[in-house]
Amino acid sequence: MTRLEEIVRIIEHDSPDVDELTQLAEEAIALIGFCKEKLTVADKQIEELMAKLS
């Protein structure tokens, strides 16, 4: 999350050139994918734990 916030700050305030912007966008997309996968796994684990309580 911290790196994503840093990328946003760089894009908004540092006016990166096209090459750097492309690299930052690729990094952000990879980070978002990683976070989404972690959240999906955590959600599934929580659902399984909740099902055990029923």
Side-chain angles (χ1 to χ4, degrees):
M1 217 32 223
T2 301
R3 180 60 180 153
L4 285 172
E5 291 170 351
E6 182 180 349
I7 290 170
V8 170
R9 185 197 55 76
I10 292 169
I11 291 170
E12 289 180 343
H13 300 290
D14 295 348
S15 300
D17 64 27
V18 173
D19 292 331
E20 185 179 7
L21 181 60
T22 301
Q23 184 179 26
L24 290 168
E26 288 175 352
E27 183 180 356
I29 290 167
L31 287 169
I32 291 167
F34 173 79
C35 291
K36 184 177 178 181
E37 182 179 331
K38 294 288 257 182
L39 289 171
T40 299
V41 169
D43 185 54
K44 184 177 179 182
Q45 289 173 336
I46 290 169
E47 285 180 13
E48 290 172 358
L49 291 170
M50 295 300 289
K52 289 180 181 180
L53 291 175
S54 300

